[in-house]
Structures are given as structure tokens and as C-alpha cells.
Amino acid sequence: SLWQAMRAQEGVYIERMVQLASASVKGEITAQMGSRILGLIRMAGRWESWGRPDQRQWESDAGVYMVHYPGYEAIEWVDPSFHVRWIVPLVGNEAVRDLYLGFDEQQRRALEVSRDRRVVIATRSFDLAPDAKGFIVYAPIFQSEGFSGFVGGIFRVQQLFDFILSKHHVTPGYAIAVFDGAEEIYSRDAGGRQDR
């Protein structure tokens, strides 16, 4: 009886530790994503307050966010017709410039919801490259003249979560998996090695 009681107590302890570790991971991801999304909102807000920036000025601003908030794959300005007009960095993203995002139903819906509801929105994960998942966060831009497009932050899941979870030493010794709905988009074993 004593052995069974100790085993049950150990099970409760382990379950509680896993819950605490899970809450720590969720809290860190939420906080780190919040700071990155706030950067996109600030860029959109400056555009709204001061008018359309000079392209080089905007690119400089985007570059600063990318340096200070690692995890971005790129930052883009999407015009009101859903075409990518400016993107930082341009090198490696040349094919994206002038791309019409409405061709993809998921992207188009996210853009329409963000524009129509005037809210920041994140897409579901998608194949950014053959072996890489990503997602985009869109912050709409509204000026007195009307809708001026979006500031979009493109994130590569692997690099973003590697940075967040290893840089901040979140739950060392625990295996971690991150899901988008039912789909696993990131995992790390207990030794810190990434599986995806």
C-alpha cells in the first residue's frame, strides 16, 4: 500500500512538473511573438501617423527590427492589391517581390480578414520551402485616405522556435513539440536537438 501511494504521488508530481514546463514554453513563445508582432504594429502605426515612408527609410526600419528581434525570415510591405512591393532582405527573396498573394486562398483570406476587421492576423503554417514550415503575421495600415496595405512579418518556424527556446533556456531537459491545430510544426528532443 505504501509503495502504491508513493508511486501515485510521484505520478502527480511528474504531471505537475510537465504542466509547469508546458506553461513556461507557452509563456515564452507568447511573450517573444508578442514583441515581434508589436514591431510590425509600430511600423504600420508610423506609416499611418507620418504617411507613406521613403522605401529606403522603410527598409532601414525593417532591417533594425530583424537585427533586434531574431526569428524573422523577412519583413514585407504588401500593397492594397495584395502584391508584395518591398521586402527586407531582398537578397534571397527576389522571387517574392511583386508577387500577388491573392493566388493562394489561405493568404488571400488572411489578408481580407485583416483588412476588413482592421486586426493583426497570423496565417496558419505553410510550406515556406520544401523542407521548412513558416507563417506570416500581417498588420494592416489605415490612413485618413483609406487602406494602404500591410506590414507582414514572415517567420520560418524552425529558426524562430530554435531561437526562442534555446536562447532563453526554456525547459532544458524536456522534449518539446509545437502544433498548429493537429499538425506538428516543430519538435525538439530532451537533449535540445531539433527533429523538424
Side-chain angles (χ1 to χ4, degrees), residues 17-33 161 164-166 168-179 186 188:
M17 293 302 294
V18 168
Q19 288 173 347
L20 288 172
S22 176
S24 175
V25 168
K26 183 178 180 181
E28 191 62 34
I29 290 172
T30 300
Q32 291 292 320
M33 283 306 302
F161 291 140
I164 291 172
L165 298 174
S166 58
H168 299 282
H169 308 292
V170 178
T171 61
Y174 281 85
I176 297 171
V178 177
F179 290 81
Y186 175 86
R188 182 186 85 182

Side-chain angles (χ1 to χ4, degrees), residues 48-97:
E48 291 171 346
S49 298
W50 300 338
R52 179 179 170 158
D54 169 276
Q55 182 175 349
R56 290 184 354 152
Q57 179 184 28
W58 184 91
E59 289 172 348
S60 175
D61 197 21
V64 167
Y65 278 109
M66 291 188 68
V67 167
H68 291 288
Y69 296 97
Y72 283 108
E73 179 74 10
I75 297 177
E76 61 189 6
W77 170 53
V78 179
D79 75 10
S81 69
F82 301 168
H83 287 83
V84 177
R85 296 302 181 193
W86 300 340
I87 188 161
V88 172
L90 180 58
V91 175
N93 291 308
E94 295 89 352
V96 177
R97 189 171 49 184

Side-chain angles (χ1 to χ4, degrees), residues 78-82 100 107-121 138-142 146-150:
V78 179
D79 75 10
S81 69
F82 301 168
Y100 173 61
Q107 294 291 326
R108 189 183 71 255
R109 276 192 312 222
L111 291 164
E112 289 170 347
V113 167
S114 180
R115 177 197 62 205
D116 296 347
R117 295 184 185 171
R118 295 183 177 215
V119 296
V120 174
I121 196 163
Y138 293 110
I141 305 167
F142 283 91
F147 177 61
S148 297
F150 307 88

Side-chain angles (χ1 to χ4, degrees), residues 5-18:
M6 287 176 61
R7 188 165 172 98
Q9 185 177 11
E10 180 182 31
V12 168
Y13 173 77
I14 290 171
E15 185 175 323
R16 182 70 182 136
M17 293 302 294
V18 168

